[in-house]
Amino acid sequence: MNRFKASKFRHTEARLPRREAWIGGIRAGSVTSCGNHVKASCCWIAFNAEAAGVLGVVPLEGEDGGKRTVSQLCCHSDVVTDFDFSPFDQLLLATGSADETVKLWRLPESGQDMPEAAGLTLGTGGGRLDVLQFHPTADSVLASGAGKRVTLWDVGQQQPLTALDSHGDQLQSVTWKRDGRLLGTSCKDKKLRIFDPRASPAASQSIPGHENNKDSRLLWMGSSDCLISVGFSQMREREVKLWDTRRFSGALLTVTLDTSPGTAIPLYDADTGLLVVAGKGENLLYCFEVAPAQPALTPVTQCCTEGSTRGLAAAPRLALDVMACEVLRILQLTDTALVPISYVVPRKSVQDFHEDLFPDCAGTLPATGAQAWWAGDSQQVSRVSLHPARRPTETFTSSVIACTRLPAADTGPTNTDTGPTTTATGLTNTDADPSEASGYSSPSSLASPSSVATSLSASTGPSSGFASSPSQKSLQSILGPSSRFRHAQGKVLHRDTHLTNLRGLSLTTPGECDGFCANRHRVALPLLSAGGQIAVLELSKPGRLPDAAMPTIQNGAAVADLSWDPFDPQRLAVAGEDAKIRLWRIPEGGLQETLQEPEAVLQGHTEKIYSIRFHPVASDLLVSSSYDMTVRIWELSTGREAFCLRGHTDQIFSLAWSPDGKKLATVSKDARLRLYEPRRSPQPQQEGPGPEGGRGARLVWVCGGDYLLVSGFDSRSERRILLYRAQALPDGPLSVLGLDVAPSTLLPFYDEDTGVVFLTGKGDTRVFLYEVTSEPPYFLECNSFTSSEPHKGFIFLPKTACEVREVEFARALRLGQSTLEPVAFHVPRVKKEYFQDDIYPPTRVWWEPALSSSAWLAGEDRQQRRTSLRPADMTPVSEAPKEAPARKFVPASVYLEEKSDEQKKEELLNAMVARLGSRDDPLPQDSFEGVDEDEWD
């Protein structure tokens, strides 16, 4: 753009479509990664779905009537961190994941089934995949970034070409120069690097980029020597910088955008020079025209959208509506829709093709192959016209994955001998046999059906917002396993069961504490008053509490944690910040007067106590963890310390007994999991890697004590849950599932009878439900429970509190600002008059100890007996008589047999009137909801 010549893009408009043109019915995922979360080819759009390891796939162009069907591609056993379409084969998709693998998929033609298995799998083994980028000129060359390394792959040979290891910290972005000669990276060490991969694995140029190490992105400006970077300044301002590799000592230009905290996603179109920038979680899109020669970054337009941005992608130029002067099309991914935003240059004539707006662009035939490029071939991709009458019709199909579609209508041209050959079927022939590549299996052996749905949770079921393709034969094969509790519903019980007018509650209990505790009879609530006061309320006496002062427990020190004895409902253990544990005896019927003298005091810790837990099987045993980084086991009958467990190097976040009471697991701030057998050794028997983030973590035993579920944070503060095999902690987690971004630690509760884990945090409004299984995909999502206001605590009651006649499988107490509300979780069932024995297996008699503390300390092990929850007057649903299906309609022969025509007409008319008159179901319009006034446009 000349300073004396007006730009032809200065009047570019961003046109938001009407809601009818949105691609709705989706539920986007909240994956924390360096990817854009949505990509597009000339045929398909792919985006991160809500379920971990799953991509949503939808056609770029709608069918008749503009309708699009959203399908699912079950890719990985962990979250999909990045993905990319081949610039040549419009159906070839590469996906990378936190499971440390790269997979290549051949998507079908529109209207066909999604593939059930990957065509090719590359096991990088270098850690979580962060970025993927296909080469712009050579077929079958793919760059993958993991940790501090960029690996270039010849995916046809299934071999790495080279590894670029010059990075000092976590990679944040990778970008190819359009001529394919150079590659640029941005990194968490605040540096930008330029590589010539064929010359050396070391960076040829390196320079400090943005002053803040928060996510930065780097884009190459076509085939020029200039780059664009987007990141944060030292003052946390978002900024855009222009760079020239010929003068790589500093930025040519720096433009500050704003002070928003969201990571900026930049999209650059080298043919028009337009740059679009949007922040994650925001609804504002900036558009600039970039002129590096001056240098200048000229604002063109801003666009404010309805939904917040989850991801951003640009449609290929060959997919643009050039006759409508559409110079750029951006696809905005929101929580529930994909919004196509068209950037249009207004012209008086819309009948003509405007060549000044649409120069020739890169075609879809590769210039060379992977081995030829690596040997030094730098041929460029042929450019093609965007004029509708002169557009090329040939298509290209890479030989990376065997072709499964019909032959192309036109035979593609033949390239040079050094490149791949396009045949009549669109297949690419190479001399090397992929199965002969050393160190890797053939594609057929790698595409195992078991890998199809290894991370699909039940959120891809009916509640996920996806619509399955009509041509899909088996919903189960597409969605993977689903939970029988996927339709579980949480409901706050009637106000008559609430405890209200709670005043003076302490809302500042440590993060290691659940905030309050409850058993089947009463609840204990720490108060804000000095001296560590605790209110004890009887659950059998709901209603409004009096305004007058009530009797409390005077603990004498601020409360750090508290817990009821499961075998003695009148004994309460309270850990104080004075490093003492006090045992209190609550009188039968509740507190009648203030308690000041505890039943016993346990002393031994030298620092503040984190948490306390009673033994699940043996009576009179309690475990505690402290700031002195020790875990101590107490025998309450004698008041002595039985064991002192050591080995921690930092704060202990959480501890948990195994269901059989033999082992004890801990998770700590040093990002380590430890497994103890206290009666054998005071040192851990196993150690393994825990959650990366040091903000807090919890753990609970699941699947009969064979697995450990840990909730915590990743390095980007995203809340996640991790599943470990208890006998193989050093191997790391079997599965990791990201949930959301929130400050509070997720508190897990596991129901051993149903296998459902409930997760929520203090200050949250949502309770996540997942069924945990011992087989992939491990986590099956169920319906979540959402409350109208944040809860200060969420505690589950014993199983015996559930109302089995209402198919209630869990009951909790939700602590609000001044109320305590029971919440019932139940499963909708038709035959509620029967006992649902598939949901209620015999439950453990947790209120009776299996052995005494002295017996356990002596080395004995016994398990508690089990009992059925079935009422005496209910029959198990498994024994219910099989009923023949009742006819919904009376056979026509009843009306038409041996009757005159007049009788037939009259009886048919009467029957129709009777049926219409007796219908008590609502009319369709009765369920219609109103719309806002601003939607009437």
Side-chain angles (χ1 to χ4, degrees), residues 561-588:
D561 197 13
L562 66 173
S563 179
W564 290 103
D565 188 335
F567 310 122
D568 186 349
Q570 296 176 252
R571 181 158 64 178
L572 177 68
V574 181
E577 294 188 357
D578 59 355
K580 297 178 182 178
I581 302 174
R582 294 170 174 84
L583 303 179
W584 300 89
R585 173 70 55 181
I586 309 302
E588 191 70 34

Side-chain angles (χ1 to χ4, degrees), residues 633-650:
I633 298 176
W634 308 87
E635 185 179 8
L636 304 186
S637 58
T638 62
R640 69 180 182 92
E641 176 187 312
F643 300 110
C644 180
L645 310 181
R646 304 184 183 276
H648 296 92
T649 61
D650 209 333

Side-chain angles (χ1 to χ4, degrees), residues 172-173 186-187 192 209-218 228-241 243 254-266 277:
Q172 293 177 330
S173 69
S186 65
C187 184
L192 308 179
H210 297 270
E211 296 177 349
N212 196 306
N213 65 359
K214 198 172 179 180
D215 283 353
S216 63
R217 304 292 176 89
L218 186 65
I228 301 171
S229 68
V230 179
F232 290 82
S233 69
Q234 190 173 11
M235 303 302 295
R236 298 186 179 181
E237 296 173 319
R238 286 196 301 199
E239 56 186 11
V240 180
K241 291 188 176 185
W243 308 82
T254 301
V255 175
T256 300
L257 296 181
D258 49 37
T259 57
S260 298
T263 300
I265 303 176
V277 181

Side-chain angles (χ1 to χ4, degrees), residues 30 54-55 68 109 143 196 251 316 322 411 456 537 569 669 679 706 708 728 730 796 805 890-891 895 920:
S30 58
V54 178
L55 291 181
R68 294 179 176 92
E109 299 283 2
D196 185 348
V322 296
T411 302
L456 177 64
L537 307 177
K669 195 174 182 178
R679 293 176 295 184
D706 294 330
L708 276 167
F796 282 82
R805 298 181 187 274
V890 179
Y895 297 101
D920 55 0

Side-chain angles (χ1 to χ4, degrees), residues 621 633 635 640 642-643 679 851-860:
L621 280 179
I633 298 176
E635 185 179 8
R640 69 180 182 92
F643 300 110
R679 293 176 295 184
L851 70 168
S852 65
S853 58
S854 58
W856 184 85
L857 293 172
E860 292 186 30

